[in-house]
Every structure is written in C-alpha cells, then in structure tokens.
Amino acid sequence: MINKVCPSVAQAVADIPDGATVMLGGFGASGSPIELIHALIDHGAKNLTVINNNTGNGEVGLAALIGNGQVRKMICSFPRSSQSKVFPEYYKAGKIELDLVPQGTLAERIRAAGAGIPAFYTPTTVGTVLAEGKEQREFDGRTFVLERWLKAEYALVKCDTADPLGNLTYNKTARNFSPLMCMAATTTIVQVGRLVDRGGIDPEHVVTPGIFVNRVIHVPEPVHEDTLIAEGRCYP
Amino acid sequence: MINKVCPSVAQAVADIPDGATVMLGGFGASGSPIELIHALIDHGAKNLTVINNNTGNGEVGLAALIGNGQVRKMICSFPRSSQSKVFPEYYKAGKIELDLVPQGTLAERIRAAGAGIPAFYTPTTVGTVLAEGKEQREFDGRTFVLERWLKAEYALVKCDTADPLGNLTYNKTARNFSPLMCMAATTTIVQVGRLVDRGGIDPEHVVTPGIFVNRVIHVPEPVHEDTLIAEGRCYP
Amino acid sequence: MTTGWTREQIAARTAQDIPNGSYVNLGIGIPELVAKFVPEGREFIYHTENGLLGMGPPPSENERDLDLMNAGKKYVTAVPGAAYFHHADSFSMIRGGHLDVCVLGTMQVAANGDIANWSTGEPGAIPAVGGAMDLVQGVKQIFVVTQHITKTGEPKLVERCTYPLTGVGVVSRVYTDLAVIDITPEGFRLIELAPGVSFDDVKNKTGAQVLPPDIPPTDGA
Amino acid sequence: MTTGWTREQIAARTAQDIPNGSYVNLGIGIPELVAKFVPEGREFIYHTENGLLGMGPPPSENERDLDLMNAGKKYVTAVPGAAYFHHADSFSMIRGGHLDVCVLGTMQVAANGDIANWSTGEPGAIPAVGGAMDLVQGVKQIFVVTQHITKTGEPKLVERCTYPLTGVGVVSRVYTDLAVIDITPEGFRLIELAPGVSFDDVKNKTGAQVLPPDIPPTDGA
C-alpha cells in the first residue's frame, strides 16, 4: 500500500540541500506552512531561493527564515507589509536579492512548470519597467510578454485535510498558491491538520490529487502566523 | 438578486447565430449536453464550427447535429469511434472540415483562452506531421511547438449541480472539458440536473465559479447519450 | 469655493456607474468603500485575487476565520453562493477578461489612460507590485478613485505619468473629490462636477487639459 | 521452434518492470491487461486522461455509472483515494512529467525510440490522435507492448518508422510475444527472451539490428 506519511516535519525537510529553490505556500499568513518552515530553520539549509507571494511578517515563519540568514534570493510579488521588518532590513543592507514578479504572472509561471508548459505569453507588465528586457510579441493586434515556467526542487505547503496518498483539500483562502506549488516542485512536502484514511476525501472534492505530493506530515494543531505575531513570538 | 436561470433550453440557445463557434462539453457520451444540443438542432443555426473531443455517436446529440447539416467544421482530437457513423460519412463526402488537435493541446488551448493567455509552448506533436507549419522553439535544450488560444462564442455544457449564480459541480468523469469551455466562451450555457438555492453548494466544492457562466437551465432528468444509443434512438 | 465630495461620496458616486450583476474587484483604500454604497436593486459580486468570489463584509470578532482574508490581508466573510479557488484560477478570471469592473486607487492617472499606482520609483525603495499589473490589463473596465490633488497640492491627473507605470492606456474613468472625468481618445473629459465645484476649479487642479462634457454639466454651485 | 508469450504473459512481464507506487497510464488493448498482473506487494495508481486518478476495475452491471468511464470510453470504477479533475489538470499530469509509466500498443516502434501508433497515413482515412502525442512526450517512461510482427508477418520493430510518427525518441522499452527489448543509444538491445524463443528468432523477426544483452540472457528454451 502506498503511504506517503512521514513521521515528522524534521525528517520531511532533512534532505533539502544548501542552494535549493523552495516554494512556500501561503498568501501572507493564510496558508503559511509555519511548522515546516520552522523545521527548515532548525535544519539550517543555506543560500536558498524562496518563492512566495510575500516575504513574511514579524519574526516567525518566512521572516524568521530570512532573519536566520538562510535565504539568498526572494521571488515574490509583494515584499512589503505593515508587519514585515526582516526582509526590508536585509534588502536595504544588500544581504538578499529580490526578483519581483506580478502576482498573476507568478501564479501562472508556477502552474506552467507543473503543466509542462515552458513558456507562455501574457499581457501583464506590457509598457512597464517590469517588461524591460523581456521578449514581446503581438497576437491579434495586442502586445504580450513572454514568460518562462518557474520550477522548484521543493515545495512546502499547508493543507486542511489529506489522505495517505497525498490527496489534499485546503481551508478557504489558505488555498491560494499551494495547489500550484504542489505541481511545480520536484519534491512536495505537505503539513496537514486532519489526516484521514483512504476514501476519507470525496474524489469530487480533492483539490490537489496525490500524484503531486511526495510527503505528508500530520501536524494536528498547526499554529497560525497571525496568532504568533499577535503574541509577539519569534523563532527560534 | 442575480439569477442566471433561463426557463428553457430552447430560449437558452435561441440567439446562437449561423456561423458561430460552439464548444460542446463532454468526452464521448460522458458529460454531453444532449438536451442543449437537441435544442440547437431545433433552433437550426447553420455553418457552425464545433469544438468537442469527439464527433458524436449514433444519431443523437453531436452526431445528429452533424447529420442535420449544421456543422461546417469540427475541431477535435478523436473523430473515430465504433459507433460514430455520421461524421465519417460527411467527412468522406467532403461535407465537413476537420481540424485535428491532440487532446492535451485541445484542453490547454481552451484553458488558455479562458485565462487570457494568447499562446503557449508545448512539447506535444514535436517531430510529427501535426507540428508541420507550426512555429518551433527551443527552451532548456528541448524543442517545443507554439500553440494559440482557442475561443468560442458559445459553450454548451452539462453539469450535475448548479445554483442561480452559475456555480457548478460535475459528476465523475463527466467533468472533462466542461470547466475549461465555461471559461473560454463569450456566452456559456449550462444544463443542470439539480438546481439548488444560493449556498446549496459548499464554496470549497465549486468546480466552475459562476463568473464563467451566463445561463443555467434546469433539466431535471437528462437523457444520457449512451442510453439513447442503446435504444437505437435518433434525433429529431 | 471648492467643497466637493468626501471619500464616502466618491465611493458612492462610483458605485452608481457599476451595472447590476457585475463582478467587481475593489482595491485598497477608497475603493473598498464602494461596497458600502451599492445602489438599491443592484447586486455586485466581489472578487478578491487571493482566491474568493463572493467576498462579504468584515466578520465580527467571533466569526473570524484566520484563513479567510482578502488581498489586502484583512479578514473578510464569504456570502452564500461564494467559491474558493487557487491563484491560477483567480488570475484567469482577471487576465481572461471575466471581471467587469476594477476600482483602484492611484498615485497618478494620465490623460491617455495610463496609470501609475505601484511604485514611486525612488532608489532604495522596495518595489512591490502584487496583482495591480494583472488587474489593469485584464479587467474590462478600470475605474480610478482618488483625491484630485496630492496632500502637497500636486495634480494626480496629469498629461503623462512621471511615476513608473502600472499599465498603459487602461483606465476608463476617474472619480475624484471634485469631479467624474472620462478618459477619451481626446484626453480627459468632464462628466460631472461635485457639489460646489466649478469646471474652472477642476481645470486649475488638473495637470492636463480637461475637455468640457459632450452634454453641458449642471453647475455644481 | 518459436512459442513465446501470450497477450496476458506480455502484460504480466511488463508489470514486473513497474515499481511500487507508480502512477501509470495504460493504453487500449494489451496494455489494459497490465492491471490484472500487478506483482504481489506492489500498488499502482491508474490515471485515465479523461479526468480520473485511481481508476479501478470494470464495474458489475448494477454498479455501473454512465458518467464514469475511461479514455477508451469503457465503464470503470474509482478506488478509495481516487480524484476527479478536468482535462487541463489531467494533461498537466501527463505533460508536466508527473506520471511514471505509460504502457502503449503500437503499429511500429523504431530502434531510435520513435513510435508510430496513431495513423496509417492512408489517404482518405480519418485521422484520430486522442491523447497519444501528449502521453509519449510527457510520461517519464514509455513502455510499448505489441506483437513482434503484424498479422501479415511484417516486423513492427523497425529501423525507422514508415507510418506517421506519434513521437520522436520517446520509447524506453518494448515488450513483445518474443522478447523484452530496450531502446538504447545504440538501438534495440535484447533484455530477455520469452520461453522457447531464441535470439535468432528475435533477430529474424525484427526490422533492425538487435544487439545482444549486456548481461548474457538465459536461453529461453
């Protein structure tokens, strides 16, 4: 019987090497795989390229990963927020690179990687500084920009319900980039609040089919980034 | 209150003009919107370009639409089947055009139309006659073919459950191309077996959000193409 | 004497131009207020790019779900008939032209419909674009709501944007504290004046020519 | 004297080479039989391109659902832990390299890994490609199962395909009634002989050079 359940977040991230490209699910605090990110901090892999919509908040999760000096480069759409202090500090000190990608292009590039589409054209950024240096082309009288797929070695994702085959569902807007990242990474590692038996998820309701998932870790009562920040916590 | 429910299949298809491009959901018999197709036969629009994975079976549904002389051109991946007699007859007599598109490329082109992606690269067909005349390009050392989005004026689709906003769910493998076609057509017309009130579909389980749907018609006990064929029926 | 519209009144005036049944994306700031002024007999369905169609008003403290937020990272609710989806589907709605109206704030909007609302372009500033460039390219109608001038008195409606652009020629109409102004092939054209505002007030505070309305406006005095 | 493997035995031999936990797509014909011969202690998950992962065996008459079919349009079942999805997601699994093994029948397979299994290229014939070209480009390993020769005695394993290609250089391994043969950079290479079949039998019935195994095979006599 296939069983992708992995006993701990520590074991799940143990093979992530220095220099890896890692996608982190979540949009701001919603859907952020805090326990997996903290395990990655404990693990200590360095020179990471991290793909996430944002750059973390407070001093937990992604912000803590950056604050621990493990991230060489961020690929994201919105590296600013009222509670984001670590990234701006690193960025202004020249200690971290930033590759800014519009949110829809970021999502589509990740989806393209999962779907075997090496490149596609999009109207987004045409006529702006973010299109500079990019190949442009007209279709049906309108100009579009060529964008490449965006792959990663690892994706760390949080879901709501999973079965041992790696079929996943999400909670509300915590879904966001996670299903796309599951498709786009060589190794997809998922933390799940509710682990059910096979057949415990209606096949009609599966959002991420198990084929896109490699490791499932049961984290029954995950902390929420917003809660940690409200409590003024920092990690480690 | 927004209410997309339309009283009859006849009214729903009444504005489809001659020469329209019409997507029909379904993969073989599964998911074929038989009542809507039969209404289109009654309506009589001619010179249609029809997009479907196949070309119909027996003498009902899509096969009957072709047999009624309404279809100028088929865009499909698999125009053969053991029970397909009408299309082969028309094709061999030179009475219908065929644009053959590999199944995955067909799906992706339809999805691209819905997603505002005018063109994308795919490895499918490289080195085959179906790539002849198409632009090719290397990415990361591998050759890919450029494919364009595929739009339609109308999509006729069958779903399992719908609400008055046009949120949809499907039944098993009857889902197939339908969610993509809902995205890709200017006007999407959906027949539904089970029409529920707003809130009757869990927001987590919606497959096609209502933004992609224009008209919903309640067809409480839809006939199934396979049943009609087993009974030797023909339409009209 | 110039009086003009309050923030709420700008939002209310904007809402008047949104047809019943529209799918609408609201930006942060004044745009968010539009949802409070839906004209009677109309219903709008709100999209938030982080994966929800059918966004409802902010929750009370005890109905708050930490996993239910909008693109501005504020807690929201979902109305009956809502749907959740992932980011690629969400931006398919945007890029694919399925949304009817997007209401955005701005730093500058130009007479040719260009908009600049994502970056001051200052060296050292951290650029952050989010979904703005997707929205302006994809949504059928882009409405801009803004104060007519900056806090330091500079016009925000200009001949050409000086800040880095978000999109080129994408804006349909501009709603300010002073007026409603269309973007036309000939440039800015006045549609309506706020109460107590004269056409001269508007012209004086706009950094480009403003054409008179095709139909003469009623004087706002 | 040539005896060789039956259709079932070809399928069973193919199944031996599929690792536990593989995601597998089975073509129509002999490939379908592979599902009957999963080696003990292994589990494969079957994908069908019309939108199901976790395809189960055919249903009994009374558990049949007209909306649950496979890509060959035969009624099937879904196993516990299955998932339904639309065609773009289904072909993302294929094109994106997420499936481990695809087992396909063929008309011809060439020593360079080319496969021709969708069209005879005859004028007047109705071409039909389905998902074959996506599968051969996208799935990690393409296994071909076929009779070694046609009903009229022509070799199906050839130097270069004469029928229109489905894909170029995509096949990993070929399973026939006579042998298991790898596609290598040097061309066909024998891996294993069926019972009662000699290497000369195989060579005589193959339309291209067949190299001896790296490790000498046990004689199939």
Side-chain angles (χ1 to χ4, degrees):
Chain A
M1 293 281 277
I2 300 168
N3 187 349
K4 299 181 181 177
V5 177
C6 179
S8 72
V9 289
Q11 273 181 255
V13 303
D15 63 354
I16 299 182
D18 287 358
T21 297
V22 182
M23 292 175 171
L24 300 180
F27 180 87
S30 175
S32 184
I34 294 292
E35 283 77 5
L36 283 170
I37 299 172
H38 289 175
L40 184 55
I41 292 173
D42 297 344
H43 169 53
K46 297 237 179 309
N47 289 316
L48 302 174
T49 295
V50 171
I51 302 167
N52 178 264
N53 188 63
N54 306 98
T55 51
N57 291 298
E59 295 175 78
V60 295
L62 173 53
L65 187 70
I66 295 170
N68 203 35
Q70 295 177 247
V71 184
R72 183 181 69 76
K73 182 180 179 181
M74 278 299 315
I75 302 176
C76 71
S77 89
F78 207 83
R80 269 200 319 246
S81 92
S82 54
Q83 294 177 311
S84 170
K85 292 181 184 69
V86 179
F87 176 82
E89 185 189 308
Y90 271 67
Y91 181 75
K92 286 174 180 166
K95 292 199 284 187
I96 194 166
E97 283 177 62
L98 170 64
D99 182 355
L100 190 73
V101 181
Q103 200 173 134
T105 299
L106 184 63
E108 191 67 12
R109 289 178 62 193
I110 297 169
R111 190 247 171 211
I117 302 294
F120 60 89
Y121 290 91
T122 173
T124 302
T125 75
V126 169
T128 76
V129 294
L130 295 189
E132 281 173 12
K134 290 196 172 163
E135 186 177 321
Q136 299 191 25
R137 179 161 171 174
E138 269 197 25
F139 293 99
D140 308 340
R142 186 174 176 192
T143 304
F144 297 87
V145 172
L146 184 70
E147 294 283 356
R148 293 297 314 277
W149 59 17
L150 185 60
K151 298 188 169 196
E153 278 108 44
Y154 290 87
L156 308 188
V157 158
K158 179 187 187 174
C159 76
D160 184 72
T161 304
D163 69 17
L165 293 173
N167 291 304
L168 312 181
T169 69
Y170 301 87
N171 185 36
K172 303 187 176 68
T173 56
R175 189 183 302 195
N176 58 68
F177 284 89
S178 298
L180 310 171
M181 291 176 170
C182 289
M183 295 169 66
T186 310
T187 302
T188 292
I189 305 171
V190 181
Q191 65 169 79
V192 55
R194 203 166 68 96
L195 183 63
V196 298
D197 289 339
R198 275 189 199 206
I201 304 176
D202 184 331
E204 300 281 8
H205 301 161
V206 170
V207 176
T208 294
I211 192 170
F212 297 127
V213 172
N214 300 91
R215 301 172 195 164
V216 175
I217 306 91
H218 191 199
V219 178
E221 290 185 8
V223 294
H224 199 283
E225 189 180 285
D226 274 349
T227 309
L228 294 179
I229 290 169
E231 292 171 357
R233 302 275 285 278
C234 62
Y235 195 88
Chain B
M1 293 281 277
I2 301 168
N3 187 350
K4 300 182 182 177
V5 177
C6 180
S8 72
V9 289
Q11 274 182 252
V13 303
D15 63 353
I16 300 182
D18 288 358
T21 296
V22 182
M23 291 175 172
L24 300 180
F27 180 87
S30 175
S32 185
I34 293 293
E35 283 78 4
L36 283 170
I37 299 173
H38 289 174
L40 184 56
I41 292 173
D42 297 346
H43 169 54
K46 297 238 180 307
N47 290 315
L48 302 174
T49 295
V50 172
I51 301 168
N52 177 263
N53 187 62
N54 306 98
T55 52
N57 291 297
E59 296 175 76
V60 295
L62 173 54
L65 187 72
I66 295 170
N68 203 35
Q70 295 177 246
V71 184
R72 185 182 67 76
K73 182 180 179 180
M74 279 299 316
I75 301 176
C76 71
S77 88
F78 206 83
R80 270 199 318 244
S81 90
S82 54
Q83 293 177 312
S84 169
K85 290 178 184 73
V86 178
F87 176 83
E89 187 189 307
Y90 271 67
Y91 182 75
K92 285 173 181 169
K95 293 198 284 187
I96 195 165
E97 283 177 62
L98 171 64
D99 183 356
L100 190 74
V101 180
Q103 200 172 134
T105 300
L106 184 63
E108 191 68 12
R109 289 179 61 194
I110 297 169
R111 189 245 170 213
I117 302 294
F120 60 88
Y121 289 91
T122 172
T124 302
T125 75
V126 169
T128 76
V129 295
L130 294 188
E132 281 172 13
K134 290 196 172 162
E135 187 177 319
Q136 299 191 25
R137 178 160 171 176
E138 269 198 24
F139 292 99
D140 307 339
R142 187 173 174 192
T143 304
F144 296 87
V145 172
L146 184 69
E147 293 284 354
R148 292 297 313 277
W149 59 15
L150 186 59
K151 297 188 169 198
E153 278 107 45
Y154 291 87
L156 308 186
V157 157
K158 178 187 188 175
C159 76
D160 184 72
T161 305
D163 69 18
L165 293 174
N167 291 304
L168 313 181
T169 69
Y170 302 87
N171 184 36
K172 304 186 174 69
T173 57
R175 186 182 305 195
N176 56 69
F177 285 90
S178 298
L180 310 172
M181 291 177 170
C182 289
M183 297 169 66
T186 310
T187 303
T188 292
I189 305 171
V190 180
Q191 66 168 79
V192 56
R194 202 165 68 97
L195 183 63
V196 297
D197 289 338
R198 274 189 201 208
I201 304 175
D202 184 331
E204 300 281 9
H205 301 159
V206 171
V207 176
T208 294
I211 193 170
F212 298 127
V213 172
N214 302 90
R215 301 171 194 165
V216 174
I217 306 93
H218 192 197
V219 178
E221 289 185 8
V223 295
H224 200 282
E225 189 179 285
D226 275 349
T227 309
L228 295 178
I229 290 168
E231 291 170 356
R233 304 275 285 278
C234 60
Y235 196 88
Chain C
M1 192 193 82
T2 307
T3 54
W5 283 313
T6 62
R7 287 161 50 94
E8 280 71 17
Q9 287 168 330
I10 300 173
R13 177 60 190 84
T14 306
Q16 294 293 335
D17 288 346
I18 304 177
N20 185 37
S22 291
Y23 290 92
V24 177
N25 184 296
L26 300 176
I28 294 168
I30 306 177
E32 288 175 276
L33 301 174
V34 169
K36 294 189 175 174
F37 299 101
V38 180
E40 200 166 321
R42 293 190 214 171
E43 180 185 15
F44 307 155
I45 297 184
Y46 301 106
H47 171 265
T48 181
E49 51 266 42
N50 56 318
L52 167 61
L53 195 67
M55 180 171 65
S60 63
E61 187 77 18
N62 58 7
E63 64 171 344
R64 204 169 75 175
D65 185 319
L66 297 184
D67 283 337
L68 181 45
M69 47 169 58
N70 67 13
K73 318 241 162 62
K74 288 180 188 148
Y75 298 115
V76 294
T77 52
V79 302
Y84 298 111
F85 34 82
H86 61 53
H87 251 82
D89 282 350
S90 184
F91 279 82
S92 290
M93 294 176 192
I94 294 171
R95 205 192 303 102
H98 303 283
L99 287 164
D100 299 298
V101 176
C102 179
V103 184
L104 287 173
T106 199
M107 300 192 302
Q108 291 180 324
V109 58
N112 62 355
D114 291 359
I115 178 172
N117 74 345
W118 74 283
S119 166
T120 58
E122 277 169 37
I126 300 177
V129 66
M133 288 191 184
D134 305 282
L135 285 162
V136 299
Q137 285 290 346
V139 179
K140 286 179 201 155
Q141 287 208 82
I142 304 295
F143 290 170
V144 164
V145 295
T146 179
Q147 301 297 330
H148 210 91
I149 55 173
T150 66
K151 284 172 188 164
T152 57
E154 299 295 313
K156 298 182 80 169
L157 285 71
V158 294
E159 185 62 33
R160 288 287 177 273
C161 295
T162 54
Y163 292 132
L165 295 182
T166 311
V168 172
V170 294
V171 176
S172 306
R173 188 168 268 205
V174 184
Y175 301 83
T176 77
D177 50 327
L178 304 185
V180 179
I181 292 175
D182 260 3
I183 309 285
T184 74
E186 294 77 37
F188 291 127
R189 184 179 290 280
L190 182 67
I191 294 297
E192 186 178 330
L193 291 167
V197 176
S198 71
F199 189 21
D200 279 341
D201 291 333
V202 171
K203 285 197 271 196
N204 291 338
K205 294 186 172 176
T206 301
Q209 189 184 27
V210 184
L211 299 168
D214 288 330
I215 301 155
T218 54
D219 193 293
Chain D
M1 194 195 80
T2 308
T3 54
W5 282 313
T6 64
R7 286 161 51 94
E8 281 72 17
Q9 287 169 330
I10 300 173
R13 178 60 190 81
T14 306
Q16 294 292 334
D17 288 347
I18 303 177
N20 184 38
S22 291
Y23 289 91
V24 178
N25 185 296
L26 300 176
I28 295 169
I30 306 177
E32 289 175 273
L33 300 175
V34 168
K36 295 188 175 174
F37 299 101
V38 179
E40 201 168 319
R42 294 190 214 171
E43 180 185 15
F44 307 155
I45 297 185
Y46 301 106
H47 171 266
T48 180
E49 51 267 43
N50 56 317
L52 168 60
L53 194 68
M55 179 171 66
S60 64
E61 188 75 20
N62 58 7
E63 65 171 344
R64 205 168 75 174
D65 185 320
L66 297 183
D67 282 338
L68 180 44
M69 48 171 56
N70 67 13
K73 315 226 164 71
K74 289 180 188 149
Y75 299 116
V76 294
T77 52
V79 302
Y84 298 110
F85 34 82
H86 61 53
H87 252 81
D89 283 348
S90 185
F91 280 82
S92 290
M93 293 176 192
I94 293 171
R95 204 191 304 102
H98 303 282
L99 286 164
D100 298 298
V101 175
C102 179
V103 184
L104 289 172
T106 200
M107 301 193 299
Q108 291 179 325
V109 57
N112 63 353
D114 291 359
I115 178 172
N117 73 346
W118 73 284
S119 166
T120 58
E122 279 170 35
I126 301 177
V129 66
M133 287 188 184
D134 305 282
L135 285 163
V136 299
Q137 286 290 346
V139 179
K140 285 180 204 157
Q141 287 208 82
I142 304 295
F143 290 170
V144 164
V145 296
T146 179
Q147 300 298 330
H148 209 92
I149 57 174
T150 67
K151 282 171 188 166
T152 57
E154 299 295 313
K156 299 182 80 169
L157 286 71
V158 295
E159 186 61 33
R160 287 288 176 274
C161 295
T162 55
Y163 292 131
L165 295 182
T166 310
V168 173
V170 294
V171 176
S172 305
R173 188 169 266 205
V174 185
Y175 302 83
T176 78
D177 50 327
L178 304 185
V180 178
I181 292 175
D182 260 3
I183 310 284
T184 72
E186 295 77 38
F188 291 129
R189 184 178 292 280
L190 182 67
I191 294 296
E192 184 177 329
L193 291 166
V197 176
S198 71
F199 189 21
D200 279 344
D201 291 333
V202 171
K203 286 197 270 195
N204 290 338
K205 293 184 173 180
T206 301
Q209 188 185 27
V210 183
L211 299 169
D214 287 329
I215 301 154
T218 53
D219 193 295

